[in-house]
Amino acid sequence: MKNKIKLIFFIIFLLLFSQNVYAKENTPSVYAKSAILIDLDSGRTLFEKNSKEELPIASTTKIMTAILAIESGKLDETVTVSKNAQAAPEVKMHLKEGEEYILKDLLYPLMLESSNDAAVAIAEHIGGSVEGFAELMNKKAKELGALNTKFVTPNGLDKDNNHSTAYDLAIITKYALQNETFVDYITTKEMDIYTKDKKRKFTFYNKNRFLNEYEGAFGVKTGFTNLAGHCFVGACERDGVSLLS
């Protein structure tokens, strides 16, 4: 009974955090179009609402971008910024065409502040182009069983029906959380990075309030676009129970 009470409280908190639900008589009433809560250890679904509905997912797309970059074996390689990456819309770190960065450093603006230009630079370096990287994203999604997902961009901006489902995002994130390097990135609260020539310095702060406002939280990613609205993927461990929303 004690664990059930903790679980109910955790569900309510996660959904209130994304400003999509309210609690009434200890039962969450979900405003979100789609939601899911799973046990990370067993993978069992504890709560769901329209969890397989295909929807735009904004910057939660970057979960896949990050794990592919980490698994690429290219983290120590030099990324040269293209004109296309420089032109990415806000939110961005204002990369300049021709600048050089170490790939592993670009994952900090990607996951801490959701930089769209960093996402494009990463995608182009690994996939040869945004389109080439999207193919890698979709291949990985299918391998993981995220069958109702279509990635078109590495940053999740509203373009050409880039979409997933709450269920698929849970599958992708559960996989990513098994990687210690991925967890290190999403739990970092502040980081400085430099251009390779040390001429420019950037300081990034993790914009995910969940890390500071809930004991045991470790990210994962927020997102917003006009089409997607507010999106949130969060995970937490408390008293030996690990949950993913």
Side-chain angles (χ1 to χ4, degrees):
M1 178 62 70
K2 184 177 180 181
N3 286 336
K4 288 183 178 179
I5 293 173
K6 289 181 179 180
L7 175 59
I8 291 171
F9 175 80
F10 182 70
I11 293 171
I12 293 171
F13 177 87
L14 285 181
L15 297 172
L16 282 174
F17 177 85
S18 60
Q19 299 181 351
N20 286 326
V21 304
Y22 67 93
K24 184 178 181 180
E25 297 181 354
N26 296 322
T27 301
S29 181
V30 181
Y31 288 133
K33 291 181 179 180
S34 178
I36 194 168
L37 181 75
I38 68 169
D39 183 304
L40 274 173
D41 295 323
S42 67
R44 185 165 63 96
T45 298
L46 305 174
F47 172 87
E48 72 88 32
K49 175 187 174 183
N50 301 328
S51 64
K52 295 188 178 181
E53 181 178 353
E54 296 179 1
L55 294 167
I57 58 170
S59 285
T60 57
T61 295
K62 292 167 180 150
I63 295 169
M64 179 62 89
T65 302
I67 192 61
L68 283 182
I70 291 167
E71 292 183 341
S72 70
K74 298 182 177 183
L75 287 181
D76 292 323
E77 292 186 0
T78 298
V79 176
T80 301
V81 178
S82 70
K83 183 177 181 180
N84 187 40
Q86 177 182 296
E90 298 283 358
V91 173
K92 60 196 296 184
M93 58 182 289
H94 298 283
L95 293 172
K96 297 179 181 179
E97 183 180 4
E99 284 183 329
E100 293 184 335
Y101 295 83
I102 303 302
L103 178 59
K104 62 185 177 183
D105 290 342
L106 289 177
L107 289 177
Y108 289 108
L110 179 79
M111 298 306 285
L112 273 61
E113 295 196 1
S114 210
S115 298
N116 291 317
D117 49 358
V120 173
I122 290 167
E124 291 180 335
H125 183 74
I126 295 173
S129 66
V130 167
E131 294 77 15
F133 188 74
E135 290 181 9
L136 297 177
M137 297 172 80
N138 289 316
K139 180 181 178 181
K140 189 68 174 183
K142 286 182 172 58
E143 289 175 356
L144 296 176
L147 303 180
N148 294 310
T149 294
K150 176 187 176 184
F151 290 116
V152 181
T153 73
N155 44 34
L157 296 177
D158 297 332
K159 180 180 180 182
D160 297 335
N161 197 27
N162 188 93
H163 68 263
S164 187
T165 69
Y167 177 82
D168 282 6
L169 274 179
I171 290 175
I172 293 166
T173 306
K174 183 177 185 297
Y175 172 80
L177 289 172
Q178 296 172 28
N179 187 294
E180 292 183 4
T181 302
F182 179 85
V183 175
D184 286 342
Y185 277 108
I186 64 172
T187 54
T188 297
K189 295 185 178 181
E190 178 182 346
M191 180 59 64
D192 295 333
I193 74 165
Y194 299 82
T195 53
K196 194 173 180 182
D197 61 13
K198 304 296 183 182
K199 290 183 178 180
R200 295 180 73 197
K201 174 185 176 182
F202 304 81
T203 301
F204 299 103
Y205 302 93
N206 200 317
K207 301 298 185 182
N208 193 338
R209 291 167 47 202
F210 189 46
L211 281 174
N212 296 316
E213 295 185 6
Y214 195 80
E215 181 184 350
F218 45 98
V220 177
K221 192 75 187 71
T222 60
F224 175 83
T225 66
N226 290 331
L227 183 61
H230 290 283
C231 302
F232 174 69
V233 177
C236 181
E237 190 279 329
R238 187 182 286 188
D239 296 332
V241 178
S242 298
L243 301 175
L244 171 67
S245 172

